[in-house]
């Protein structure tokens, strides 16, 4: 069977050449006589894999030397707890709630800290990013938290909030490595890799060293203390070895494609094709304020639930997979991450044009 165009929000499409390379190495990784899946995480071969992966993401993002790069488990959701556990000093944090995941992160942090939601777009189903230029942030908060790209709702912070001098913590899960990032503007960046970088099961955390506490409260599990992971070079226990190996291949693929500047250009071109069509369509409508649109996740609706369901079913039959919107929004959503080729977006728009002509 031919490969489909996979618009899934995650686990998501991976670069075909990375998959082929991994397939070639499945039974024998570079003369070791075994797969990376079978390899000891204490072996020289795996140490080289994780070291190269770390160096490549450092190169891609220009990560300064005073930031640690950790390859962790438990997905972004586990960091919802790890962030307040590790950053707790005064016991207060400011959260900007622009979607489901920021909301869940704030709820998790409430178990450990006094959380104040300083801005939210819940009033309009998270269809925009609130003005964060002059927020009411208490002087003694430990950090300010955002989810930078909202997978479900298709919004993106194009301007970072004014944190009034406090540390910025950002969940970058669905826009990781999609464009250049000024790492020094953040205290902590983290994200699950299953959208733009690799298979589910790995979370990458980029943490400024002075924010990794020497000691944490007694209730903090050993595995969730960043120092445990940092001191062990992400090898405190058996890491998600195969996932890290694939991430490393994707980093090399991005480098080969021209780095994050080239990725951003590629992603802007793809998104423009889809948004331009939505803006002139009589049947389909985008659901996000134009100035806050994501390059990664594009939600849209017809306004008729039955027609939406018909579209998703017919699109699937045409080889356009996973276009059903998240249950909290309905409609459709096309996730067009780094590895989605421009041909995939063109095929989607062609299909939408045809569907519109037949269902006006």
């Amino acid at each position: 069977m031919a490969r489909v165009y996979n618009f899934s929000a995650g686990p998501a499409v991976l670069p075909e050449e990375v998959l082929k390379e991994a397939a070639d190495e499945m039974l024998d990784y570079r003369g070791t006589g075994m797969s990376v899946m079978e390899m000891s995480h204490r072996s020289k071969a795996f140490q080289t894999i994780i070291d190269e992966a770390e160096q490549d993401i450092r190169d891609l993002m220009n990560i300064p030397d005073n930031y640690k790069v950790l390859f962790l488990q438990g997905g972004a959701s586990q960091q919802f707890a790890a962030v307040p556990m590790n950053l707790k000093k005064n016991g207060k944090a400011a959260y900007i709630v622009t979607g489901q995941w920021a909301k869940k992160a704030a709820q998790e942090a409430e178990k450990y800290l006094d959380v104040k939601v300083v801005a939210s777009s819940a009033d309009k189903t998270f269809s925009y990013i609130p003005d964060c230029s002059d927020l009411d942030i208490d002087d003694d908060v430990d950090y300010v938290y955002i989810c930078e790209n909202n997978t479900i709702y298709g919004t993106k912070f194009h301007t970072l909030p004014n944190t009034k001098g406090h540390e910025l913590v950002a969940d970058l899960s669905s826009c990781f490595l999609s464009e250049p990032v000024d790492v020094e503007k953040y205290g902590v960046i983290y994200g699950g890799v299953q959208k733009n970088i690799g298979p589910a099961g790995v979370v990458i955390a980029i943490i400024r060293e002075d924010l990794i506490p020497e000691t944490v409260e007694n209730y903090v599990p050993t595995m969730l203390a960043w120092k445990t992971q940092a001191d062990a070079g992400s090898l405190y226990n058996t890491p998600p070895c195969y996932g890290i190996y694939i991430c490393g291949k994707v980093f090399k693929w991005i480098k080969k494609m021209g780095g994050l500047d080239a990725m951003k250009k590629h992603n802007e071109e793809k998104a423009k094709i889809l948004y331009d069509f939505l803006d002139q369509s009589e049947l389909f409508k985008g659901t996000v304020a134009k100035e806050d649109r994501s390059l990664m996740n594009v939600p849209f609706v017809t306004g008729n639930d039955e027609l939406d369901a018909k579209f998703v079913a017919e699109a699937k039959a045409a080889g356009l997979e996973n276009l059903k919107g998240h249950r909290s929004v309905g409609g459709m959503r096309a996730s067009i991450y780094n590895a989605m080729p421009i041909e995939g977006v063109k095929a989607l728009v062609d299909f939408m044009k045809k569907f519109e002509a037949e269902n006006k």
Side-chain angles (χ1 to χ4, degrees):
M1 183 185 168
R3 274 176 69 78
V4 296
Y5 288 122
N6 177 11
F7 294 94
S8 170
V13 60
L14 285 166
E16 211 163 297
E17 64 184 79
V18 166
L19 296 175
K20 284 177 177 166
E21 211 176 281
D24 288 344
E25 294 175 344
M26 180 54 85
L27 295 178
D28 177 12
Y29 176 74
R30 301 191 182 173
T32 58
M34 65 181 98
S35 168
V36 175
M37 278 191 198
E38 308 167 289
M39 189 178 280
S40 165
H41 62 298
R42 305 289 179 203
S43 66
K44 264 188 184 165
F46 185 73
Q47 189 66 55
T48 301
I49 288 170
I50 196 169
D51 287 348
E52 274 190 26
E54 178 177 337
Q55 191 54 56
D56 284 338
I57 192 173
R58 282 186 179 278
D59 294 346
L60 283 167
M61 293 179 73
N62 293 319
I63 298 173
D65 289 344
N66 64 326
Y67 283 73
K68 289 281 188 192
V69 176
L70 306 179
F71 294 94
L72 307 172
Q73 304 182 60
S77 296
Q78 188 156 282
Q79 293 303 307
F80 294 172
V83 164
M85 284 176 173
N86 285 276
L87 294 181
K88 184 177 182 181
K89 284 191 182 119
N90 298 322
K92 292 171 77 172
Y95 276 66
I96 298 167
V97 176
T98 51
Q100 205 67 15
W101 301 114
K103 186 179 170 185
K104 286 187 174 179
Q107 286 167 343
E108 188 68 22
E110 279 171 1
K111 295 177 182 178
Y112 313 104
L113 306 173
D114 176 15
V115 170
K116 182 176 174 185
V117 175
V118 291
S120 171
S121 50
D123 60 329
K124 292 185 181 169
T125 328
F126 301 122
S127 59
Y128 71 102
I129 298 290
D131 178 4
C132 297
S133 59
D134 187 19
L135 300 171
D136 182 17
I137 299 171
D138 293 344
D139 289 342
D140 57 348
V141 299
D142 295 327
Y143 60 90
V144 178
Y145 183 100
I146 62 170
C147 178
E148 194 160 321
N149 186 88
N150 296 285
T151 322
I152 295 174
Y153 302 95
T155 58
K156 165 84 162 66
F157 280 84
H158 295 297
T159 305
L160 293 177
N162 174 4
T163 64
K164 309 275 178 83
H166 296 93
E167 300 299 345
L168 180 63
V169 176
D171 173 355
L172 258 63
S173 293
S174 54
C175 59
F176 229 154
L177 299 186
S178 65
E179 59 182 35
V181 169
D182 183 353
V183 175
E184 290 185 288
K185 288 184 175 172
Y186 306 79
V188 180
I189 290 171
Y190 72 87
V193 304
Q194 71 275 10
K195 300 168 186 298
N196 238 351
I197 305 173
V202 184
V203 60
I204 297 172
I206 301 163
I207 307 165
R208 211 176 63 235
E209 282 176 356
D210 62 293
L211 295 177
I212 298 175
E214 285 295 320
T215 56
V216 285
E217 304 262 9
N218 276 342
Y219 61 74
V220 177
T222 303
M223 287 288 292
L224 291 194
W226 288 336
K227 185 170 167 52
T228 303
Q229 306 289 354
D231 286 354
S234 302
L235 297 171
Y236 175 75
N237 70 330
T238 311
C241 298
Y242 198 80
I244 293 167
Y245 155 75
I246 299 289
C247 291
K249 288 201 175 301
V250 172
F251 300 154
K252 289 193 186 305
W253 174 78
I254 295 172
K255 277 185 160 183
K256 188 175 148 190
M257 296 287 282
L260 297 189
D261 287 314
M263 270 298 138
K264 184 180 187 189
K265 187 167 175 284
H266 168 65
N267 290 324
E268 284 172 342
E269 279 173 25
K270 283 187 300 188
K272 186 177 189 311
I273 292 166
L274 185 46
Y275 285 126
D276 282 355
F277 171 71
L278 286 172
D279 287 342
Q280 59 83 49
S281 170
E282 288 172 29
L283 179 62
F284 298 101
K285 293 281 170 282
T287 59
V288 172
K290 282 188 182 181
E291 64 276 14
D292 299 323
R293 284 171 166 174
S294 165
L295 294 178
M296 298 285 99
N297 312 98
V298 184
F300 55 96
V301 294
T302 64
N304 177 314
D305 290 347
E306 282 175 27
L307 206 52
D308 287 353
K310 184 185 181 193
F311 174 84
V312 171
E314 290 185 9
K316 182 180 173 69
L320 306 167
E321 284 276 358
N322 293 310
L323 282 163
K324 190 173 190 282
H326 191 273
R327 59 188 177 277
S328 63
V329 182
M332 285 71 69
R333 170 181 54 179
S335 292
I336 50 175
Y337 299 122
N338 285 351
M340 171 58 67
I342 206 156
E343 293 77 20
V345 180
K346 286 177 177 171
L348 172 60
V349 169
D350 287 345
F351 178 79
M352 290 168 79
K353 285 176 181 169
K354 177 172 168 281
F355 186 87
E356 180 166 333
E358 291 167 0
N359 293 276
K360 267 188 179 172

